[in-house]
């Protein structure tokens, strides 16, 4: 057997593909496996840092940044990780300083320029942010990501005409990116075109479902059943052709599973056995997920909503529900808000979700259901009000 699951290149491309599909949990699983096989692999280095930022794992990002700086203090990736850590800690002045250093060390890195622009955008420094995004576009002219970020920045500053131009260009450059469709939905919503906004939000969820299914299928074909890695208690194990497991000699620098249920701590997950690239965020195997998944072309709009299990797309579903509400499609809006409550049950925004549900159920004269939602909302609303004070 070729044991492609032990190849850092294969795992790196799998991590990049998962991150491009906005599946951060799977991307972190691949990056964890890469650390076990080749701790100095740099192919997915930027993806590893960006995934930790997206998941809010400060401690792991701090350790990774220290390790990269100790390995090579003149590496742009190392200072990119340091800047990302300060960005995650809301120390944006220090983040700008280290992102600037990473762009000086590697001026051709589009990732560093985009991060540099994001650190300006969060401080409401729009001109510097757009200049950084334009620099990223010159470094990587074939990518839609700089166009997307420029459109998002113009949308943030309420320049709707320019935002529509750049977002449309980004969506035409890469029609398979659901994030472009989501931002176009926000743009349409801001313009007051609710039907167009609902179209783009549904398309984003549909593309997410298609990308999830295609990612699982391509990974299964590329790695094969003989190429998976078992991460168990800090060691990796290899499965041979007979299905047996042989212990490896390398120790993982981080054996924690991103798919395991977290204890009430900041970002640490308990150690567990993970079949890398074989487990999905729904805890199913790839074969089971492919058997249970339905192709995006046959999914109804409500099925696209119900199939989503990733909290990353909760704002998209919420915006879709608001679009349906303004279009007076009450039943469809109820489906969206119920899904939001299931994805983020303890979020402060769940108060507004359940409040909308209460008003809708009262509109339908279903008082019993409305009272049930009110009883579920009350503890979270009191906690949210206490936090606000």
């Amino acid at each position: 057997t070729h044991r492609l699951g032990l190849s850092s290149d294969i795992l790196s491309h799998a991590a990049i593909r998962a991150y491009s599909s906005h599946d951060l949990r799977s991307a972190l699983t691949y990056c964890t496996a890469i650390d076990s096989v080749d701790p100095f692999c740099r192919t997915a280095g930027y993806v590893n840092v960006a995934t930790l930022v997206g998941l809010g794992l400060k401690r792991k990002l701090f350790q990774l940044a220290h390790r990269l700086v100790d390995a090579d203090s003149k590496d742009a990736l190392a200072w990119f990780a340091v800047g990302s850590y300060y960005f995650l800690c809301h120390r944006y002045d220090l983040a700008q300083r280290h992102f600037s250093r990473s762009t000086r060390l590697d001026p051709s890195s589009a990732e560093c320029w985009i991060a540099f622009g994001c650190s300006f955008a969060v401080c409401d420094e729009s001109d510097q942010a757009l200049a950084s995004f334009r620099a990223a576009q010159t470094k990587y002219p074939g990518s839609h990501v700089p166009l997307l970020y420029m459109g998002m920045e113009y949308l943030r500053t309420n320049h709707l005409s320019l935002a529509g131009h750049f977002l449309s260009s980004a969506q035409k450059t890469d029609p398979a990116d659901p994030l472009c469709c989501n931002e176009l939905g926000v743009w349409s919503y801001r313009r007051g075109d609710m039907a167009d906004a609902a179209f783009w939000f549904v398309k984003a969820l549909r593309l997410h479902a298609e990308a999830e299914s295609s990612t699982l299928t391509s990974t299964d074909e590329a790695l094969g059943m003989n190429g998976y890695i078992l991460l168990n208690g800090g060691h990796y194990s290899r499965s041979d052709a007979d299905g047996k497991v042989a212990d490896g000699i390398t120790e993982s620098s981080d054996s924690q599973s991103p798919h395991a249920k977290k204890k009430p701590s900041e970002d640490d997950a308990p150690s567990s056995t993970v079949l890398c690239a074989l487990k999905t965020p729904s805890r199913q195997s790839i074969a089971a997920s492919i058997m249970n998944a339905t192709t995006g072309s046959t999914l109804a709009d409500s099925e696209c909503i119900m199939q989503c299990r990733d909290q990353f797309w909760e704002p998209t579903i919420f915006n879709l529900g608001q679009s349906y509400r303004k279009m007076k499609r009450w039943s469809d809006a109820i489906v969206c808000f119920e899904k939001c409550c299931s994805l983020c049950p303890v979020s402060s925004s769940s108060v507004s979700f359940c409040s909308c549900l209460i008003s809708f159920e009262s509109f339908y004269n279903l008082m019993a259901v409305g009272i049930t939602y009110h009883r579920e909302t009350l503890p979270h609303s009191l906690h949210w009000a206490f936090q606000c004070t």
Side-chain angles (χ1 to χ4, degrees), residues 50-73:
T51 300
L52 295 176
V53 173
L55 295 176
L57 304 180
K58 298 180 182 178
R59 189 174 306 169
K60 293 182 180 179
L61 183 57
F62 178 83
Q63 295 171 354
L64 176 62
H66 263 279
R67 189 178 66 186
L68 292 174
V69 172
D70 291 341
D72 187 1
S73 60

Side-chain angles (χ1 to χ4, degrees), residues 30 219-220 225 228 275-280 284-287 289:
Y30 292 123
T219 304
D220 191 35
M225 291 304 297
Y228 295 112
L275 185 55
C276 181
L278 188 59
K279 288 288 187 180
T280 64
Q284 290 181 323
S285 65
I286 285 182
S289 299

Side-chain angles (χ1 to χ4, degrees), residues 113-136 146 149-150 153 156-157:
W113 283 108
I114 289 177
F116 198 20
C118 290
S119 64
F120 284 119
V122 76
C123 295
D124 201 17
E125 300 179 11
S126 182
D127 293 338
Q128 292 89 335
L130 290 171
S132 299
F133 296 147
R134 293 191 191 98
Y149 274 93
M150 282 189 281
E153 179 61 21
R156 187 187 67 84
T157 56

